[in-house]
Amino acid sequence: MTHGSPREVGSGSARPGRATTDRIAARGPGSKRAIIIVLDGVGIGAAPDAEAYGDDGSNTLGNIGRAVGGMRLPNLERVGLGNIAPLEGVAPVAKPAGAWGMMVPRSAGKDSTTGHWEISGVHLERPFPTYPHGFPKPLVDEFARRTGRGVIGNVTGSGTAIIDRFGPEHERTGNWILYTSADSVFQVAAHELVIPLAELYAGCDIARQMLVAPHDVSRVIARPFVGSPGAYTRTKNRRDFSIAPPKPTLLDALADAGVARGGVGKVDDLFAGRGIRSRHTANNTEGIAAICDWLEHAESGLLFANLVDFDQQFGHRNDIPGFYQALREFDAALPSLVSALREDDLLFITADHGNDPTTPSTDHARECVPILVLGPRVAGVTIGRRETFSDLGATVANWFGVPFGGAGVSFLRTVLAP
């Protein structure tokens, strides 16, 4: 394949020989690069156990396609998105430019932390706790005592609505605004002119230390905002304080092997900063620009990127047009990402869960996720239905020649052309 240009390959005839792929993997990290792009919330159909989560019938991509009368995503179509599952407007192609498949969630839960950890080889036996009726009073009282400020709110709802509702009282009293959502999150909002950012972050760090089992929420989130009553806006100074993974992850294995690791978006927060540092971005546009910058300058290693707008801006708000427009914007950016790939690059495009904006729920959805693999060495073949997201992490470890004992089975031999 000419550098930067998509090639057309057969849909399943060009399978690599074992000796060839073993030689490629055995070369070690060298100048190899791998890029994982997580399209946050972009599921592709209900998981087998979706009914147990109240998500039977959820299908983020499929239902958006029907709702908009057919999606126009020509570049994703070209690389095989329509080969994974029926999608209105996105047709299967005879010779996709990438490998394609679907991954089934195995960990308990359906939040971003769970999904990213599973990609990285860690399965959870129980979901993180959620608090649909607010946090227990003793916990809230202890947080107030340790931080020296009172607490208002302690309700479940949309962050923007919560800030509009409690912002004026917060400005009068200087009390924290505490809220949660359908996710496992302890969110603390504060006006930047009322409580300095350093104090907000310190308060969230105290909460993170407090929140141990059985209240071991996935994330404590600092939610700073500015403005005046009726015109409050959240700032880009959000910070997540995540629980640390309970087992070694793909990132730990790469770190031990000396493989460079970089992140885009909230990825480092999801791993409690262990094994990765991220370039935080305000939106998908900045995230895509940061990915392009890494592709231009990084000599080797892994880039783990999260594009959050699909989920945060549109899925949680049941904004179908906005979600579809974000998909179109990523589709338009895809050729620039592909053109920047080098000979020893693998690009993986996937998701961490669903967030179907067509359903009454504004929560995440228990869905399977798409997996697309691109790169000069990649054959246009199916990788089938993978029984865990961890197969992706196992494949990345295999690509770098790094031993890793986490969950998952590598599909590297399937996708590499001879």
Side-chain angles (χ1 to χ4, degrees), residues 24-97:
I24 293 170
R27 289 205 300 255
S31 61
K32 288 182 180 178
R33 304 192 302 181
I35 306 94
I36 301 173
I37 300 178
V38 176
L39 309 182
D40 202 311
V42 183
I44 198 165
D49 58 356
E51 187 174 0
Y53 289 79
D55 294 326
D56 194 29
S58 290
N59 185 341
T60 300
L61 283 171
N63 287 340
I64 290 174
R66 284 185 283 272
V68 301
M71 296 181 291
R72 177 168 171 75
L73 303 171
N75 296 305
L76 286 165
E77 178 181 271
R78 191 172 299 117
V79 300
L81 181 62
N83 293 59
I84 301 172
L87 300 173
E88 281 199 32
V90 183
V93 293
K95 295 181 177 181

Side-chain angles (χ1 to χ4, degrees), residues 136-334:
K137 187 176 185 301
L139 193 67
V140 176
D141 289 346
E142 179 66 7
F143 175 65
R145 186 189 69 79
R146 292 199 192 185
T147 59
R149 289 185 181 270
V151 174
I152 56 177
N154 191 25
V155 295
T156 302
S158 163
T160 51
I162 294 294
I163 291 168
D164 286 341
R165 177 181 170 186
F166 292 102
E169 184 180 354
H170 162 72
E171 289 198 78
R172 289 194 306 272
T173 64
N175 292 337
W176 305 111
I177 301 174
L178 172 63
Y179 68 103
T180 187
S181 70
D183 297 337
S184 180
V185 289
F186 185 102
Q187 303 194 83
V188 185
H191 196 293
E192 291 189 1
L193 297 182
V194 175
I195 301 178
L197 281 174
E199 185 180 351
L200 172 60
Y201 296 154
C204 288
D205 189 51
I206 288 170
R208 178 71 277 168
Q209 295 172 42
M210 288 173 46
L211 293 166
V212 297
H215 302 300
D216 49 342
V217 299
S218 168
R219 284 177 289 162
V220 175
I221 305 178
R223 290 287 197 177
F225 64 97
V226 294
S228 55
Y232 293 124
T233 57
R234 295 194 293 197
T235 74
K236 64 179 181 179
N237 295 318
R238 162 183 171 162
R239 184 175 294 179
D240 292 34
F241 298 75
S242 292
I243 195 167
K247 300 176 182 178
T249 71
L250 168 69
L251 299 174
D252 296 320
L254 295 178
D256 290 344
V259 177
R261 300 141 337 272
V264 168
K266 64 183 182 181
V267 175
D268 58 345
D269 290 334
L270 297 175
F271 289 88
R274 199 174 85 196
I276 192 167
R277 293 284 183 88
S278 280
R279 177 174 170 180
H280 284 228
T281 51
N283 50 46
N284 281 4
T285 300
E286 286 189 13
I288 291 167
I291 295 168
C292 289
D293 183 65
W294 187 92
L295 287 170
E296 181 179 354
H297 295 104
E299 291 302 317
S300 62
L302 170 70
L303 180 70
F304 203 163
N306 177 285
L307 299 180
V308 75
D309 284 0
F310 308 101
D311 177 79
Q312 179 174 279
Q313 298 298 327
F314 309 116
H316 284 304
R317 299 176 183 180
N318 284 351
D319 183 346
I320 299 169
F323 204 124
Y324 175 43
Q325 180 59 29
L327 290 169
R328 293 192 65 185
E329 289 169 358
F330 178 76
D331 183 83
L334 186 57

Side-chain angles (χ1 to χ4, degrees), residues 2-3 17 37 122 163 198:
T2 304
H3 173 69
I37 300 178
V122 175
I163 291 168

